[in-house]
Amino acid sequence: PTMNPKTTPSMAAHKPITYQRERTGKQKNEIFVDILERLNVLFSPSGLVLNSTIDGCIQMKSYLSGNPELRLALNEDLVIGKGGAYGSVTLDDCNFHECVQLQDFETSRTLSFIPPDGEFVVLNYRVTGEFRAPFRVFPAIDEVSPYKLDVTIRCRADIPETNYGANVVIRIPVPRNTASAGCELAQNAVGQQAEFSNTAKHVTWTIKKFQGNTEQTIRVKITLSDPATTNTRKEIGPISLNFEVPMYNVSNLAVRYLRIAEQGKAYNPYRWVRYVTQSNSYV
């Protein structure tokens, strides 16, 4: 059987997977699978990636009558540890739930298990090393006068144009002696807002839907209460991002199929498979 193309909203990743059943109040033959990745990325001031890791997991909730054994297949070219061929999906390490049988994992990258009651994590995994960061930030600072700075922040979504970042929040610290800061967004900016907090001394730029393969820009005009010094520039940053990218994952780990292992089962369950990428620490 092929994977059901239906998906649930990405915001549902924050709800228990029991949500669907509680809402409808009846038993359904359905399986929920979430591939969730949290990113930790540290950039240099020039935009180079200094450190990057992915903490990922596959979590599942099963509502199947008869509690059958399931078979979950991952990428055939999946490599655990180092030494994968170019283009293969490589995980530094992973650990499995105690219910998972691994007899076919080495040969076919297939997991067999009878799912326990309740939501559970099939496997946890970690990826370090280079991967394509979904968002890149390019700042530029122009000293207009001793009391005025222009900061231009260009943010690029390095994800496919069919994907998007949801509720992207970009936080830009400004110098401690900032008296005021005006924010200018692009004329065609839709679903965006920016505000300056004088108490926290930062600008918060929010983009509700950041389409892949596009760029967005903000210009922040800073007025200082004292003349700028060599340290003033250093107080702009570090810029941090919070975001979620539905139906996308950076590691390319994928569920090839999810099947009921026992031949005698005469029903075809719904399979709800979601991929969600979130920022954990993205600076």
Side-chain angles (χ1 to χ4, degrees):
T2 55
M3 204 67 84
N4 192 312
K6 297 177 183 175
T7 60
T8 50
S10 69
M11 60 175 272
H14 303 295
K15 298 187 176 83
I17 300 186
T18 53
Y19 168 65
Q20 176 82 9
R21 183 185 183 188
E22 288 165 357
R23 190 180 56 189
T24 57
K26 61 182 179 181
Q27 173 83 22
K28 287 187 174 185
N29 278 319
E30 50 189 2
I31 311 170
F32 296 82
V33 183
D34 281 352
I35 296 91
L36 176 62
E37 296 189 344
R38 291 187 171 92
L39 307 185
N40 301 287
V41 184
L42 179 65
F43 295 95
S44 73
S46 59
L48 293 173
V49 176
L50 299 176
N51 195 3
S52 55
T53 60
I54 304 168
D55 288 314
C57 70
I58 298 180
Q59 54 192 27
M60 179 178 287
K61 179 76 179 180
S62 171
Y63 295 118
L64 297 179
S65 58
N67 209 21
E69 183 180 355
L70 303 178
R71 291 175 67 80
L72 179 75
L74 304 175
N75 313 58
E76 289 180 310
D77 62 351
L78 179 63
V79 175
I80 310 296
K82 301 297 183 188
Y86 179 77
S88 64
V89 177
T90 304
L91 309 181
D92 284 50
D93 54 67
C94 61
N95 57 70
F96 302 88
H97 190 277
E98 57 189 8
C99 73
V100 175
Q101 306 284 320
L102 296 171
Q103 64 266 25
D104 298 323
F105 186 66
E106 285 303 318
T107 54
S108 63
R109 292 306 189 217
T110 305
L111 310 174
S112 303
F113 53 91
I114 297 174
D117 289 338
E119 186 176 344
F120 75 105
V121 174
V122 183
L123 81 150
N124 289 296
Y125 60 91
R126 187 173 173 83
V127 179
T128 61
E130 289 184 22
F131 55 79
R132 186 171 185 148
F135 294 98
R136 304 296 289 265
V137 175
F138 304 96
I141 303 169
D142 183 23
E143 199 169 316
V144 182
S145 73
Y147 288 90
K148 290 191 183 294
L149 298 174
D150 269 12
V151 181
T152 304
I153 309 290
R154 193 163 52 89
C155 188
R156 188 175 73 211
D158 273 348
I159 54 178
E161 56 192 29
T162 50
N163 294 96
Y164 65 90
N167 300 318
V168 180
V169 178
I170 302 163
R171 190 174 173 277
I172 309 155
V174 298
R176 282 171 293 181
N177 63 339
T178 298
S180 64
C183 304
E184 293 180 4
L185 298 169
Q187 285 185 331
N188 59 350
V190 178
Q192 297 187 34
Q193 63 180 49
E195 59 181 351
F196 165 61
S197 167
N198 194 32
T199 50
K201 296 297 183 191
H202 68 242
V203 170
T204 303
W205 176 23
T206 306
I207 304 169
K208 200 164 187 180
K209 187 174 182 179
F210 198 149
Q211 205 66 41
N213 202 27
T214 64
E215 277 190 5
Q216 303 294 339
T217 303
I218 187 173
R219 188 177 177 194
V220 182
K221 294 186 169 186
I222 297 171
T223 302
L224 304 172
S225 56
D226 308 301
T229 66
T230 50
N231 286 326
T232 306
R233 278 174 172 260
K234 294 176 185 175
E235 290 179 18
I236 300 173
I239 298 166
S240 60
L241 276 75
N242 276 308
F243 57 84
E244 181 176 290
V245 185
M247 298 315 294
Y248 176 78
N249 69 334
V250 177
S251 71
N252 293 321
L253 183 72
V255 173
R256 275 191 295 131
Y257 65 77
L258 176 62
R259 294 175 184 159
I260 294 175
E262 299 162 48
Q263 293 299 316
K265 300 293 179 185
Y267 60 85
N268 187 17
Y270 282 104
R271 301 162 182 79
W272 304 90
V273 179
R274 302 176 300 187
Y275 294 79
V276 182
T277 296
Q278 296 174 337
S279 59
N280 190 24
S281 172
Y282 204 92
V283 183

